[in-house]
Amino acid sequence: MTHTLHDYPFGPPSTKPENKRYISAGVNEGQVVYLDRRNTVAAANALNETHAGRVVGIALETRSGGKSIEVAISGSVTHAKWKLTPGAKCFVSSGGMISHDPPSVGFVQRIGVAENEQTILLQIGEPVVLGG
């Protein structure tokens, strides 16, 4: 797989995972999560502009509300149920999902590039609020 410099606006990311622990608001493994006003992580939604700039990573486990959860904040993340297009850019979608197509309303935030069908090289970009 070949990436060009413009694929990484902040320089090539490390593939070494970096994780952080948060308190869950109830999320599933593989969901893109944002940090809410209670300092808990919940499923990110690109249609909700209040989530713009608050996306922190991808949940590495499924946890109910109030439980500690590990979240990948950078590096390579693999999830067996993803069906990504290798080499394609990945964006926040709704319900914590990942999309290769940026939304047309809400906000656009790139979260990385698909390395293969089940792995994303996570590098969270700056959001662009579209309105809607």
Side-chain angles (χ1 to χ4, degrees):
M1 172 182 2
T2 302
H3 296 286
T4 61
L5 187 56
H6 73 272
D7 284 337
Y8 304 112
F10 306 107
S14 169
T15 57
K16 182 177 184 259
E18 183 179 354
N19 304 333
K20 188 170 181 181
R21 291 207 78 81
Y22 293 97
I23 299 298
S24 171
V27 297
N28 295 316
E29 179 184 354
Q31 284 186 309
V32 178
V33 295
Y34 80 103
L35 193 59
D36 70 15
R37 298 191 191 287
R38 298 169 299 172
N39 287 322
T40 59
V41 291
N45 185 345
L47 302 178
N48 187 336
E49 294 174 15
T50 65
H51 296 188
R54 303 185 79 142
V55 173
V56 293
I58 296 176
L60 296 176
E61 48 198 355
T62 298
R63 291 285 184 263
S64 58
K67 303 288 184 185
S68 178
I69 188 170
E70 192 166 1
V71 174
I73 60 173
S74 67
S76 292
V77 180
T78 300
H79 184 57
K81 294 183 180 177
W82 285 337
K83 303 229 183 300
L84 304 171
T85 302
K89 295 175 185 176
C90 299
F91 299 91
V92 177
S93 186
S94 61
M97 302 300 287
I98 296 170
S99 175
H100 293 305
D101 299 316
S104 57
V105 297
F107 71 97
V108 174
Q109 189 163 11
R110 188 174 139 185
I111 57 168
V113 175
E115 293 185 299
N116 60 50
E117 288 185 351
Q118 284 83 38
T119 304
I120 184 172
L121 183 55
L122 187 63
Q123 186 184 37
I124 299 171
E126 293 295 318
V128 175
V129 176
L130 303 170

